[in-house]
Amino acid sequence: MSAPLTRAMISWRLAKPLLFALALGQVGTGCVTDGARKGNGRFSLGSGVKSTVDYIRMFTSPTVLNFDNTPGPDGFSAKIYAIERGSAKPVKISSGSIEFALFETVAEGEPLQTWKYDSAVLNRHMSETRIGVAYNFQMRWTPDEAPKKKAAIVALYRAPDGRVVRAVPVVLAIGP
């Protein structure tokens, strides 16, 4: 056997396992886009399926809160979980917005005050928990728009397609 042919056979024997390992590595890893940033050249890791919000669950502080240490309540804190039908865990809100509306005593009529968070701002409020994605908020109301007896709070998810998903309202007592 000639020397060049022997060198080629040896190098092929070494190259074959390396090529196999490289191919296996390519199959085992990869990125999937979630479709939220389609067409702008950027991508994010995700399940490959854009989630839709079918329900939202709101949990608030047990009472109204005093944020400034002067007498009287100033607002409340809330946690939102977005639920997709068929998903075991709360999902990330990739589009749309979350709104909070504050009412006096009952969640009817014209709200005293509203807060709106679109999907670009929601990422700042997002956290990963054991049960899934949660959104944490602290709302301060203005003194002239503060409820007097009870604070009724409603959270809404407004989807880009016009759907509105409403959480169960929560009523918090202002005083004893």
Side-chain angles (χ1 to χ4, degrees), residues 10-57:
I10 291 173
S11 63
W12 175 245
R13 284 184 188 162
L14 293 175
K16 209 175 355 177
L18 291 175
L19 287 173
F20 179 76
L22 180 63
L24 186 61
Q26 289 294 324
V27 170
T29 61
C31 294
V32 180
T33 64
D34 62 4
R37 297 184 179 177
K38 195 176 215 176
N40 65 3
R42 293 181 282 171
F43 64 90
S44 62
L45 295 177
S47 64
V49 178
K50 194 172 185 179
S51 64
T52 58
V53 176
D54 297 309
Y55 309 99
I56 59 172
R57 303 286 187 255

Coordinates of all heavy atoms in Angstrom, one line a residue, residues 10-57:
I10 N -6.2 6.3 7.4 CA -6.1 6.6 8.8 C -6.9 7.9 9.1 O -7.6 7.9 10.1 CB -4.6 6.7 9.2 CG1 -3.9 5.4 9.2 CG2 -4.5 7.4 10.6 CD1 -2.5 5.4 9.4
S11 N -6.7 8.9 8.3 CA -7.5 10.1 8.6 C -9.0 9.9 8.4 O -9.7 10.6 9.2 CB -7.0 11.3 7.6 OG -7.2 10.9 6.3
W12 N -9.4 9.1 7.5 CA -10.8 8.8 7.4 C -11.4 8.1 8.7 O -12.4 8.3 9.1 CB -11.1 8.0 6.1 CG -12.6 7.6 6.0 CD1 -13.1 6.3 6.0 CD2 -13.7 8.4 5.9 NE1 -14.4 6.3 6.0 CE2 -14.9 7.6 5.9 CE3 -13.9 9.8 5.9 CZ2 -16.1 8.1 5.8 CZ3 -15.2 10.3 5.8 CH2 -16.3 9.4 5.7
R13 N -10.6 7.1 9.2 CA -10.9 6.4 10.4 C -11.1 7.4 11.6 O -12.0 7.2 12.4 CB -9.9 5.4 10.8 CG -10.0 4.2 9.9 CD -9.1 3.1 10.4 NE -9.0 2.0 9.4 CZ -8.1 1.1 9.4 NH1 -7.0 1.2 10.2 NH2 -8.1 0.2 8.5
L14 N -10.3 8.4 11.6 CA -10.4 9.4 12.7 C -11.5 10.4 12.4 O -12.2 10.9 13.3 CB -9.1 10.2 12.8 CG -7.9 9.4 13.3 CD1 -6.6 10.2 13.3 CD2 -8.1 8.9 14.7
A15 N -11.7 10.7 11.2 CA -12.7 11.7 10.8 C -14.2 11.2 11.0 O -15.1 11.9 11.3 CB -12.5 12.2 9.4
K16 N -14.4 9.9 10.8 CA -15.7 9.3 10.8 C -16.3 9.5 12.2 O -17.5 10.0 12.3 CB -15.6 7.8 10.4 CG -16.9 7.3 9.8 CD -17.0 5.9 9.3 CE -15.8 5.1 9.3 NZ -16.0 3.7 8.8
P17 N -15.7 9.1 13.3 CA -16.3 9.4 14.6 C -16.5 10.9 14.9 O -17.5 11.2 15.5 CB -15.3 8.8 15.6 CG -14.4 7.9 14.9 CD -14.4 8.4 13.5
L18 N -15.6 11.7 14.4 CA -15.8 13.1 14.6 C -17.0 13.7 13.9 O -17.8 14.5 14.4 CB -14.5 13.9 14.2 CG -13.3 13.7 15.1 CD1 -12.1 14.4 14.6 CD2 -13.6 14.2 16.5
L19 N -17.2 13.2 12.7 CA -18.4 13.6 11.9 C -19.6 13.1 12.5 O -20.7 13.8 12.5 CB -18.2 13.1 10.4 CG -17.2 13.8 9.5 CD1 -17.1 13.1 8.2 CD2 -17.7 15.3 9.3
F20 N -19.6 11.9 13.0 CA -20.8 11.3 13.6 C -21.2 12.1 14.9 O -22.3 12.5 15.1 CB -20.6 9.9 14.0 CG -21.7 9.2 14.7 CD1 -22.9 8.9 14.0 CD2 -21.7 9.0 16.1 CE1 -23.9 8.3 14.6 CE2 -22.8 8.5 16.7 CZ -23.9 8.1 16.0
A21 N -20.2 12.5 15.7 CA -20.4 13.3 16.9 C -20.9 14.7 16.6 O -21.8 15.2 17.2 CB -19.1 13.4 17.7
L22 N -20.4 15.3 15.5 CA -20.9 16.6 15.1 C -22.3 16.5 14.6 O -23.2 17.4 15.0 CB -20.0 17.1 13.9 CG -20.4 18.5 13.4 CD1 -20.2 19.5 14.4 CD2 -19.5 18.8 12.2
A23 N -22.7 15.5 13.8 CA -24.0 15.3 13.4 C -25.0 15.1 14.5 O -26.1 15.6 14.6 CB -24.1 14.2 12.4
L24 N -24.6 14.3 15.5 CA -25.4 14.0 16.7 C -25.6 15.3 17.5 O -26.7 15.5 18.0 CB -24.7 12.9 17.5 CG -25.5 12.4 18.7 CD1 -26.8 11.8 18.2 CD2 -24.7 11.4 19.5
G25 N -24.6 16.1 17.6 CA -24.7 17.3 18.3 C -25.6 18.3 17.7 O -26.4 19.0 18.3
Q26 N -25.7 18.3 16.4 CA -26.6 19.2 15.6 C -28.0 18.7 15.8 O -28.9 19.6 15.9 CB -26.2 19.2 14.1 CG -24.9 20.0 13.8 CD -25.1 21.5 14.1 OE1 -26.1 22.0 13.9 NE2 -24.0 22.0 14.7
V27 N -28.2 17.5 15.8 CA -29.6 16.9 16.0 C -30.1 17.2 17.4 O -31.2 17.5 17.6 CB -29.6 15.4 15.7 CG1 -30.9 14.8 16.1 CG2 -29.4 15.2 14.2
G28 N -29.2 17.1 18.4 CA -29.6 17.2 19.8 C -29.8 18.6 20.3 O -30.5 18.8 21.3
T29 N -29.3 19.6 19.5 CA -29.5 21.0 19.9 C -30.2 21.7 18.8 O -30.1 21.4 17.7 CB -28.2 21.7 20.3 OG1 -27.4 21.7 19.1 CG2 -27.5 21.0 21.4
G30 N -30.8 22.8 19.2 CA -31.5 23.6 18.2 C -32.3 24.7 18.8 O -32.5 24.8 20.0
C31 N -32.7 25.7 18.0 CA -33.5 26.8 18.5 C -34.9 26.7 17.8 O -35.0 26.4 16.6 CB -32.8 28.1 18.2 SG -31.3 28.3 19.1
V32 N -35.9 27.2 18.5 CA -37.2 27.2 18.0 C -37.7 28.6 18.2 O -37.6 29.2 19.3 CB -38.1 26.2 18.7 CG1 -39.5 26.3 18.1 CG2 -37.6 24.8 18.5
T33 N -38.3 29.3 17.2 CA -38.9 30.6 17.4 C -40.3 30.4 17.9 O -41.0 29.5 17.5 CB -38.8 31.4 16.1 OG1 -39.7 30.8 15.2 CG2 -37.4 31.6 15.6
D34 N -40.8 31.4 18.7 CA -42.1 31.4 19.2 C -43.1 32.1 18.3 O -44.2 32.3 18.6 CB -42.2 31.9 20.6 CG -41.8 33.3 20.7 OD1 -41.5 34.0 19.7 OD2 -41.8 33.8 21.9
G35 N -42.6 32.7 17.2 CA -43.4 33.4 16.2 C -43.7 34.8 16.6 O -44.3 35.6 15.8
A36 N -43.4 35.2 17.8 CA -43.7 36.6 18.3 C -43.0 37.7 17.6 O -43.4 38.8 17.4 CB -43.5 36.7 19.8
R37 N -41.8 37.4 17.1 CA -41.0 38.4 16.4 C -40.7 38.0 15.0 O -39.6 38.2 14.5 CB -39.7 38.5 17.2 CG -39.9 39.0 18.6 CD -38.5 39.3 19.2 NE -38.8 39.8 20.6 CZ -37.8 40.0 21.4 NH1 -36.6 39.8 21.1 NH2 -38.0 40.5 22.6
K38 N -41.6 37.5 14.3 CA -41.5 37.0 13.0 C -41.1 38.1 12.0 O -41.7 39.1 12.0 CB -42.8 36.4 12.5 CG -42.7 35.5 11.3 CD -44.1 34.9 11.0 CE -44.0 33.5 10.5 NZ -45.2 32.9 10.3
G39 N -40.1 37.8 11.2 CA -39.7 38.8 10.2 C -38.8 39.9 10.5 O -38.4 40.6 9.7
N40 N -38.4 40.1 11.8 CA -37.5 41.2 12.1 C -36.0 40.7 12.3 O -35.2 41.5 12.8 CB -38.0 41.9 13.3 CG -38.0 41.1 14.6 OD1 -37.5 40.0 14.6 ND2 -38.4 41.7 15.7
G41 N -35.7 39.5 12.0 CA -34.4 39.0 12.1 C -33.9 38.5 13.5 O -32.9 38.0 13.6
R42 N -34.8 38.7 14.5 CA -34.5 38.2 15.8 C -35.3 37.0 16.1 O -36.4 36.8 15.6 CB -34.7 39.3 16.8 CG -33.7 40.5 16.6 CD -34.0 41.5 17.7 NE -35.2 42.3 17.2 CZ -35.8 43.2 18.0 NH1 -35.4 43.4 19.2 NH2 -36.9 43.8 17.5
F43 N -34.9 36.3 17.1 CA -35.7 35.1 17.5 C -35.6 34.9 19.0 O -34.7 35.5 19.7 CB -35.2 33.8 16.8 CG -33.8 33.4 17.2 CD1 -33.6 32.6 18.2 CD2 -32.7 33.9 16.4 CE1 -32.3 32.2 18.6 CE2 -31.5 33.5 16.8 CZ -31.2 32.7 17.8
S44 N -36.5 34.2 19.6 CA -36.4 33.8 21.0 C -36.7 32.4 21.2 O -37.3 31.8 20.3 CB -37.4 34.7 21.8 OG -38.7 34.4 21.4
L45 N -36.1 31.8 22.2 CA -36.4 30.4 22.5 C -37.8 30.2 23.0 O -38.3 31.0 23.7 CB -35.4 29.9 23.5 CG -33.9 29.9 23.1 CD1 -33.1 29.4 24.2 CD2 -33.7 29.1 21.9
G46 N -38.4 29.1 22.6 CA -39.8 28.9 23.0 C -40.2 27.5 22.5 O -39.5 26.7 22.0
S47 N -41.5 27.3 22.7 CA -42.1 26.0 22.3 C -42.4 25.9 20.8 O -42.7 24.8 20.4 CB -43.4 25.8 23.1 OG -44.3 26.7 22.7
G48 N -42.2 27.0 20.1 CA -42.5 27.0 18.7 C -44.0 27.3 18.4 O -44.4 27.4 17.3
V49 N -44.8 27.4 19.5 CA -46.2 27.7 19.3 C -46.5 28.9 20.1 O -46.2 29.1 21.2 CB -47.1 26.5 19.9 CG1 -48.6 26.8 19.8 CG2 -46.8 25.2 19.2
K50 N -47.2 29.9 19.4 CA -47.6 31.1 20.0 C -48.7 30.8 21.0 O -49.7 30.2 20.6 CB -48.0 32.1 19.0 CG -48.1 33.5 19.4 CD -48.3 34.4 18.2 CE -48.3 35.8 18.6 NZ -48.5 36.7 17.5
S51 N -48.6 31.2 22.3 CA -49.6 30.9 23.2 C -50.8 32.0 23.1 O -50.6 33.1 22.8 CB -49.0 31.0 24.6 OG -48.6 32.2 25.0
T52 N -52.0 31.5 23.4 CA -53.1 32.4 23.5 C -53.6 32.3 24.9 O -53.6 31.3 25.6 CB -54.3 31.9 22.6 OG1 -54.6 30.6 22.9 CG2 -53.8 31.9 21.1
V53 N -54.1 33.5 25.4 CA -54.6 33.6 26.8 C -56.1 33.3 26.7 O -56.9 34.1 26.1 CB -54.3 34.9 27.3 CG1 -54.9 35.1 28.7 CG2 -52.8 35.1 27.4
D54 N -56.6 32.3 27.4 CA -58.0 32.0 27.5 C -58.6 32.5 28.8 O -59.8 32.8 28.8 CB -58.2 30.5 27.3 CG -57.8 30.0 25.9 OD1 -58.2 30.6 24.9 OD2 -57.0 29.0 25.9
Y55 N -57.9 32.5 29.8 CA -58.3 32.9 31.1 C -57.2 33.7 31.8 O -56.0 33.4 31.6 CB -58.7 31.7 32.0 CG -59.6 30.7 31.4 CD1 -59.1 29.6 30.8 CD2 -61.0 30.9 31.4 CE1 -60.0 28.6 30.2 CE2 -61.8 30.0 30.8 CZ -61.3 28.9 30.2 OH -62.1 28.0 29.6
I56 N -57.5 34.6 32.8 CA -56.5 35.1 33.7 C -57.0 35.0 35.1 O -58.2 35.0 35.4 CB -56.2 36.6 33.3 CG1 -57.4 37.5 33.4 CG2 -55.5 36.7 32.0 CD1 -57.1 39.0 33.3
R57 N -56.1 34.8 36.0 CA -56.4 34.6 37.4 C -55.6 35.8 38.1 O -54.4 36.0 37.9 CB -55.9 33.3 38.0 CG -56.4 32.1 37.3 CD -57.9 31.9 37.7 NE -58.4 30.6 37.2 CZ -59.2 30.5 36.1 NH1 -59.6 31.6 35.5 NH2 -59.6 29.3 35.7

